[in-house]
Structure formats: C-alpha cells, structure tokens
C-alpha cells in the first residue's frame, strides 16, 4: 500500500500500476476523485437498475394494493365515488414508488459495497487513518497474479509515494 | 465589503487558504476536541425545559382529550393542523438544499446541506406529532395503515389524510436515509480522528466500516445522486399532498386548485427562513464564517425573495379568483379575511410575507447579517400566520351563518406549539454537539475543486473588478 499527498499523484500511480499489469487493486481517498473508478475499472451499472426495479415494484404494489382493497376485497361507497377511483390512488402509488426506490438505492449501495463491514485488513496500517483526512492510498492486493512482495514494493516506491506499507491480513 | 464576483466564476464558497487537513480538523474539532461552550448548556437546558412542557401538554391531552384545545364545531382544525403544515413546510428547505441544489450542481449548498437536512428531520419529527395527537382517539392511529386485519377493513384511499400518512412517512424515511448516507464518510472521519475509545466505537459502529475505497465512492455517489433525484419529486409531492388536505375540501378558501404549487413555494420560503435563522447564529458561535460565507447568506436571501414572490402571487390570485368566480361564498371569504374578526392576522401576514421580504431586492440588506436574521424570523412568523389564516378564517365563517363561530386557542394549544419548538431546538443542540454540522468530505471536495480552479485561472482574484 502506498500513500500519496494528492489525488493527481494517486491517479498517476494507479495508471502506472495498470500499465504494469496489476488488476486487483483498490484506492482509498478522502473524497471521490474524478477519473479514478475508470482507471481501476470499477463499473457501477447495477445500482441504477436496482433502484429502477425497486421503484417499479413499489409503484405496482401501491396501485394494486389500493385497487384490491377498495374495489375487490371490500368495495364500499365512499362519497358516491367509483370503487376503482384511480386518480385518488395516484398520491399513494407515487409515494410508495419513491419509498421503495429510495430504500433500494440505500440498501443496494450497502449490499454492493459489502457494508457494514467493521473489520478490514487496511485498517491495520496505522497511517491509514489519514485516508479520511487528507491522504490518498493505493493498495495492490496479494491475490493479484503479478503480486510479489519485494517486486511490488519496489514498484510502488518508484511512484513518488510518501510511504509504502505492508498490510497485515 | 465582500469580494465581488469573478468574471468567469462566482465568488468562492469557502474562504481561501484551506487544505483537506484544515477543513477536516476544523469541523471535526467542534464535535471532538473543542470544549462545549457555555451557551450550549444554557440553550440546551432551556430547550429541554420546553420539551418537558411538550410532554406535559401531550400527557394532559391524552388524559383529557382534544377538548382541552380551543377547537370547536365550525373550526375543527386549529393549532394542530396549522403547526403540522408549518413544521412540514420548514422541513422542505432542507431537502431543497440537499437534493435539488445537488442536481443543479450548486456548489454553495455544500456547507449548509448537513444542518439543513438535520433541520428537515427534526421539523418532520415535530410535524409528525400533530396529526397523531389531534386524532380524537390517537391510540387507534394504526388504522390508517393498510394491514390485513380481522375486521377485514382497509384505509380509505380517497382521503388526503391517508395520503398524508404515506407522504409524511415516506418523506421522513427518505430524508433520514439521505441524511445518514451523507453522514457515513464523515462518521468514518470522526472514528479515525477521535481519541476516546468510546467515541471511536460509537462512530465506528455508525460508520459501518466505511473505508473510503474508490469503488465504494463510485457506488456511493451513484446512490447519493439517485436519492437526490428521488427526493426532488418527493419534496414537491409531500407539500402538494398537504395542500390537498385543503384543496380537496369544499370549503370556500380551501377548494382552490392553486394550493399544491403555492404550498410548495410557501414551504420553501419558510424553510429557507428557518435555515437562515439557524445558520446565522451557528456560523457566529462556532466561528464558521469561512465556510458559511456571505455568498451563502446572499443566495439564500435570493431564494427567499423568489419564493416569497410566488407566495405573494398566490395571495393575489386567491383574491382575484374569489372575485372572478362570481361565487358569493368565495367572495365573502375574501372580504372576511381582510375585514373580519381575524383581519389583523391577515394584514400582519401580508406585511410579513409580502412587504418585508421586498427588502431583499437591496444588495445592502442581503449582506447585512442582523437584518437577514430579523427578516427571516419575521418570515417564519408570517408563514405561521398564513397557515392560521387558511385553516381558521375559511372554517369559522362558511356556508351556513348559523354555524359561524370563533376559534380562540387555549393555553394547551400554545403549550404544545411552544413545546415542539423546544423539541426542534433541543434536537438541533444535540446534533451540533454530536455530529458534524457541516459535511466534511464535501468540503474536502470543494477544496480540491477550488485548487483546480486556481490552476485554471492563475491570476489572483483579489482586486479584480466585477
């Protein structure tokens, strides 16, 4: 794991590591750095689909629930209005669409990120606590086929890092 | 005089000279290391005393029933609904700032979004009490929810009061999630920066193991933007549904198609007034003038002016359509508002919501902090009066003169109202002490952005004309 002073340096380092053939790596930054997910080839196409699905489920449930309750299960004359009075069903349908979509956005994000996960090996590096303040880290994982403790360490040191640390599992 | 606008870019939203480390330290220090100021204890004690008043008023209400309030047969909706609409309206500015301004990429939202969202949550918490408490039999509130029950009954889907349950429930849930998701990286910062073992454990628990990984940030941002995109129609719909509580009725003064958009504009108007009322003391006592700059206050004043004009237009159209309708009940309702027994409230409302905000046209007023504070408090009062006018003057004299009456709030109405103000500020006091009042990671992002801008425009900004 290498520590950098700013996002630009990290971005350059990540590109260099990619050119070297490293694939299993992760960067840690105090805020989202533009362009970094592309370099690390992180794809994020699943979450919007999950949210869309959640919204559709919520909306369909809302509309069907109201229709079933008011027109099928217990039809009841309220103020002389028709049983399936669909305009009056729109507000609840809408709110449930938003509710389920928002829930799936948050829970989907947690699930895809594997949160909550209180323990992770990167926390073993004492300097890593600065990742939430002003330091940028690039971590090459030992599972990478090109990983070699000495070689990778030497490579990271060529990138102009402030420090290179070994992450205890 | 604060710096004028740059030719290519707006004035900075953060004072120069900050780095990632200093913004982080400055904001987290308020929570972690700085000594709790004496005024915090004084203020919090005062507000908790009001919470006790609230609990007392609620307990007495549950014991004796809604008859302890001033509501009667023509005016069935008194303070409970007025305060409900008022509090919900206040909440809306928080969502506007955090969601709509995010979608519009207004970077000046960054330093005010966190406490504006907190304000939303606490205002919704206060608002949520009223619809429950004003039920004659509050213990049966759950009958408003659709669940399979042995009675075989369902809620009445055509009632805006049932829509309210869904709208406010969704609004509270989504606002809470939006706020919490926004907090996670900052909770991780607090976890990493705190020295206390207990604080580390608590913040660490709440941060859920957030480790600032780039792939996590990617999904995080997607989720955050999607939430913002969902919260934007939500906020519009919630106050529209609240508007429909009235507009779906037949009462002159209520049955008005303009209500949904006009209520939303009023909500944003009053909400920004409350954000301003909180932001001005907050930046002063915590020394956050570098983060909540004059540009923020200036922009908020402009938003208040814009929405205030929409509200004023709403008043005008209400009067015009009442006249244009040729309906004697509608016209009498208008005359009664202006000249009837509640006329002083009407004219005070016009003064507070239409006349006073016009001062915001002046740049000097928009940059004068005490004036901003005073005007925003006046607007809060004016918007409370607006709801009073809509609820009470429409009900107390409508179709049948034999059913005319007056509504005089009792001390229990007032106790409950003042109590919720106490609850709101008590929660706010706890919030500023325990959680970062300004989003730390978004401020770091802002620092990064202003550095990039610095490279783009190497010429110093100071001294450059308009």
């Amino acid at each position: 794991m290498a520590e950098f002073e700013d996002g630009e340096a990290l971005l350059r380092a990540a590109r260099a590591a990619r050119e070297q053939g490293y694939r299993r790596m992760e960067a840690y930054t105090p805020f989202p750095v533009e362009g970094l997910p592309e370099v690390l080839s992180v794809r994020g196409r699943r979450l919007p689909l999950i949210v869309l699905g959640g919204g559709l489920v919520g909306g369909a449930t809302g509309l069907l629930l109201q229709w079933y309750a008011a027109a099928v299960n217990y039809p009841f004359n309220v103020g002389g209005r028709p049983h399936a009075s669909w305009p009056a069903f729109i507000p609840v349908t809408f709110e449930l669409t938003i509710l389920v979509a928002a829930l799936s956005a948050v829970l989907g994000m947690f699930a895809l990120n594997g949160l909550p996960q209180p323990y992770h090996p990167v926390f073993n590096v004492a300097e890593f606590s600065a990742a939430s303040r002003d330091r940028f880290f690039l971590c090459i994982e030992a599972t990478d086929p090109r990983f070699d403790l000495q070689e990778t360490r030497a490579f990271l040191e060529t990138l102009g890092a402030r420090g290179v640390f070994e992450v205890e599992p | 005089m604060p710096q004028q606008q740059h030719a290519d870019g707006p004035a900075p939203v953060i004072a120069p000279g900050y780095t990632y480390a200093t913004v982080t330290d400055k904001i987290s220090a308020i929570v972690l290391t700085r000594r709790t100021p004496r005024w915090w204890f004084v203020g919090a004690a005062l507000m908790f005393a009001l919470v006790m008043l609230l609990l007392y008023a609620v307990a007495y209400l549950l014991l004796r029933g809604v008859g302890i309030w001033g509501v009667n047969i023509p005016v069935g909706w008194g303070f409970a609904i007025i305060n409900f609409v008022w509090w919900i309206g206040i909440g809306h500015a928080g969502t506007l700032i955090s969601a709509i301004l995010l979608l519009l990429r207004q970077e000046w939202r960054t330093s005010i979004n966190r406490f504006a969202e907190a304000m939303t949550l606490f205002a919704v918490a206060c608002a949520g009490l009223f619809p429950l408490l004003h039920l004659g039999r509050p213990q049966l509130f759950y009958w408003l929810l659709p669940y399979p029950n042995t009675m075989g009954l369902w809620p009445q889907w055509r009632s805006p009061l049932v829509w309210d349950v869904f709208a406010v429930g969704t609004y509270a849930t989504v606002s809470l999630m939006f706020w919490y998701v926004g907090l996670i990286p900052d909770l991780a910062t607090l976890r990493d920066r705190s020295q206390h073992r207990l604080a580390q454990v608590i913040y660490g628990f709440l941060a859920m193991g957030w480790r600032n990984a780039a792939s996590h940030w990617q999904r995080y941002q997607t989720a955050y933007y999607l939430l913002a995109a969902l919260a934007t129609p939500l906020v519009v719909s919630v106050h529209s549904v609240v508007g429909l509580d009235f507009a779906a009725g037949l009462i002159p003064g209520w049955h008005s198609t303009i209500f949904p958009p006009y209520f939303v504009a009023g909500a944003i108007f009053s909400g920004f007034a409350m954000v301003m009322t909180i932001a001005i003391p907050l930046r002063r006592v915590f020394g956050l003038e570098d983060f909540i700059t004059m540009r923020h206050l200036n922009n908020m004043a402009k938003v208040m002016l814009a929405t205030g004009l929409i509200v004023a237009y709403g008043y005008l159209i209400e009067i015009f359509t009442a006249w244009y309708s040729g309906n004697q009940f509608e016209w009498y309702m208008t005359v009664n508002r202006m000249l009837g027994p509640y006329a002083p409230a009407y004219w005070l409302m016009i003064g507070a919501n239409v006349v006073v905000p016009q001062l915001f046209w002046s740049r000097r007023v928009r940059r004068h902090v005490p004036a901003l504070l005073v005007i925003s408090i006046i607007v809060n009062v004016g918007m409370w009066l607006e709801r009073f006018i809509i609820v009470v003057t429409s009900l107390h004299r409508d179709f049948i003169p034999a059913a005319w009456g007056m509504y005089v709030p009792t001390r229990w109405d007032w106790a409950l109202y003042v109590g919720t103000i106490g609850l709101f500020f008590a929660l706010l006091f706890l919030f500023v002490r325990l959680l970062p009042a300004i989003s730390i990671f978004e401020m770091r992002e802002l620092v990064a952005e202003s550095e990039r801008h610095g490279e783009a425009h190497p010429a110093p900004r100071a001294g450059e004309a308009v």
Side-chain angles (χ1 to χ4, degrees), chain A residues 1-2 13 25 27 50 60 65 74 79 85 95 98 116 118 126 145 162 166-167:
Chain A
M1 176 188 273
M25 52 187 177
I50 292 174
L65 170 73
Y74 198 142
S85 50
E95 302 298 342
I98 300 281
R162 258 183 115 247
E166 208 174 300
V167 181

Side-chain angles (χ1 to χ4, degrees), chain B residues 31-48:
Chain B
V31 179
L32 294 175
T33 49
R34 261 162 63 172
R35 278 186 50 199
T36 312
R38 191 172 296 138
W39 66 264
W40 187 91
F41 288 104
V42 176
L46 207 71
M47 291 306 152
F48 275 99

Side-chain angles (χ1 to χ4, degrees), chain A residues 11-169:
Chain A
L11 213 52
R12 276 196 301 274
R15 281 200 195 104
R18 217 182 143 68
E19 273 161 27
Q20 283 287 310
Y22 290 105
R23 289 292 175 271
R24 295 224 177 109
M25 52 187 177
E26 181 65 281
Y28 299 90
T29 58
F31 56 86
V33 173
E34 233 172 280
L36 198 53
E38 287 76 14
V39 177
L40 298 172
S41 61
V42 177
R43 289 182 310 167
R45 293 190 202 127
R46 276 159 74 194
L47 191 58
L49 286 175
I50 292 174
V51 175
L52 176 68
L56 291 175
V57 168
T61 312
L63 196 57
L64 285 173
L65 170 73
Q66 294 177 83
W67 170 76
Y68 173 74
V72 179
N73 189 239
Y74 198 142
F76 198 74
N77 185 345
V78 179
R81 279 167 281 193
H83 294 315
S85 50
W86 66 268
F89 296 164
I90 298 300
V92 171
T93 307
F94 176 82
E95 302 298 342
L96 284 178
T97 309
I98 300 281
L99 180 66
V100 181
L103 277 170
S104 41
V106 174
L107 298 179
M109 187 268 281
F110 287 164
L112 292 175
N113 281 350
L115 299 175
Q117 186 187 9
Y119 174 78
H120 192 275
V122 287
F123 290 124
N124 289 333
V125 176
E127 287 80 357
F128 185 72
S129 70
S132 65
R133 184 164 175 255
D134 62 338
R135 294 278 187 260
F136 300 73
F137 293 86
L138 181 69
C139 182
I140 296 180
E141 281 160 28
T143 51
D144 193 284
R146 277 192 53 94
F147 185 86
D148 175 87
L149 195 54
Q150 263 69 46
E151 222 174 89
T152 306
R153 190 182 181 93
F155 163 70
L156 283 175
E157 272 159 2
T158 62
L159 296 174
R162 258 183 115 247
V164 175
F165 316 99
E166 208 174 300
V167 181
E168 300 290 329

Side-chain angles (χ1 to χ4, degrees), chain B residues 131-266:
Chain B
L132 293 179
L133 292 176
H134 99 130
L135 297 174
R137 291 178 290 166
Q139 70 276 20
L140 299 179
F141 75 93
Y142 60 91
W143 285 6
L144 286 162
L145 300 171
Y147 67 102
N149 53 58
T150 51
M151 305 176 287
L153 292 176
W154 295 98
Q156 208 284 87
W157 304 106
R158 299 170 192 98
S159 165
L161 304 181
V162 170
W163 305 345
D164 265 348
V165 175
F166 285 87
V168 176
T170 302
Y171 189 46
T173 316
V174 173
S175 310
L176 180 67
M177 288 193 298
F178 197 35
W179 183 69
Y180 179 60
V181 166
L183 267 171
I184 288 172
D186 287 358
L187 290 167
T189 299
L190 292 179
R191 169 198 69 200
D192 295 342
R193 316 252 328 122
S194 67
Q195 304 296 321
H196 263 278
R197 181 74 192 136
L198 183 67
Q200 283 171 350
V201 170
I202 293 172
Y203 289 125
F205 179 78
L206 292 172
M208 301 203 305
W210 180 259
R211 54 182 188 273
N212 301 296
S215 59
H216 289 191
W217 276 122
Q218 210 264 351
R219 293 182 201 112
Y220 178 88
Q221 278 197 305
T222 312
Y224 202 60
Y225 275 104
L226 285 170
L227 277 177
L230 291 167
T232 302
L234 175 66
V235 73
V236 173
S237 80
V238 170
H239 221 68
S240 297
V241 167
V242 172
L244 287 172
D245 291 348
F246 304 98
L250 300 174
I251 306 290
W254 280 12
H255 189 73
S256 171
T257 50
I258 200 178
F259 269 19
Y262 151 72
F263 266 51
V264 173

